[in-house]
Amino acid sequence: QVQLVESGGGLVQAGDSLRLSCTASGRTFSSYGMGWFRQAPGKEREFVAAINWSGGSIYYADSVKGRFTISRDNAKTAVYLQMNSLKPEDTAVYYCASRSHPDPRRTASGYDYWGQGTQVTVSS
């Protein structure tokens, strides 16, 4: 059974940084694409970033491009989201997701496994 566990969320001020981590277990981590999504209160879940199995192909949402960086460490079965220059509009629950395919994907329907989420709150 695939399990994804996120950590690293918290309450920060605008302009601060946070690094989210997601640790995976239950199958061969290095074979599959991974993604980060977020969901703010009253809004639909939205794509943030995705990375392929090797880290060689990466996608970002326009709203985070230049501020957020996704990376992975296959030896540690982990994927990370470095978030810099945080804004109040980045406030959301952030979810890690895993595909059953090596390539990244921007749509939530392309992911088969999800973590429980970690709250990120950015105050102005």
Side-chain angles (χ1 to χ4, degrees):
Q1 183 177 357
V2 177
Q3 287 191 322
L4 303 174
V5 180
E6 302 99 333
S7 61
L11 171 63
V12 297
Q13 293 187 330
D16 286 350
S17 298
L18 275 177
R19 188 193 194 209
L20 304 183
S21 299
C22 172
T23 301
S25 62
R27 65 175 181 178
T28 305
F29 177 80
S30 59
S31 297
Y32 304 109
M34 300 292 294
W36 286 97
F37 291 76
R38 66 187 182 186
Q39 188 166 17
K43 295 187 177 181
E44 293 187 353
R45 190 170 298 190
E46 66 172 357
F47 169 74
V48 176
I51 189 168
N52 77 329
W53 67 277
S54 67
S57 180
I58 289 174
Y59 300 155
Y60 292 104
D62 288 343
S63 59
V64 306
K65 200 172 294 183
R67 299 188 298 122
F68 290 11
T69 302
I70 188 172
S71 62
R72 65 188 297 159
D73 185 335
N74 287 341
K76 296 183 178 180
T77 67
V79 61
Y80 307 101
L81 187 68
Q82 177 66 44
M83 306 186 294
N84 298 331
S85 302
L86 282 161
K87 304 175 181 180
E89 51 264 44
D90 294 319
T91 295
V93 176
Y94 283 71
Y95 297 91
C96 169
S98 176
R99 302 197 67 207
S100 293
H101 192 281
D103 293 338
R105 191 80 174 262
R106 291 183 174 89
T107 55
S109 61
Y111 293 80
D112 303 294
Y113 302 98
W114 294 82
Q116 81 289 350
T118 185
Q119 177 70 47
V120 172
T121 303
V122 185
S123 63
S124 58

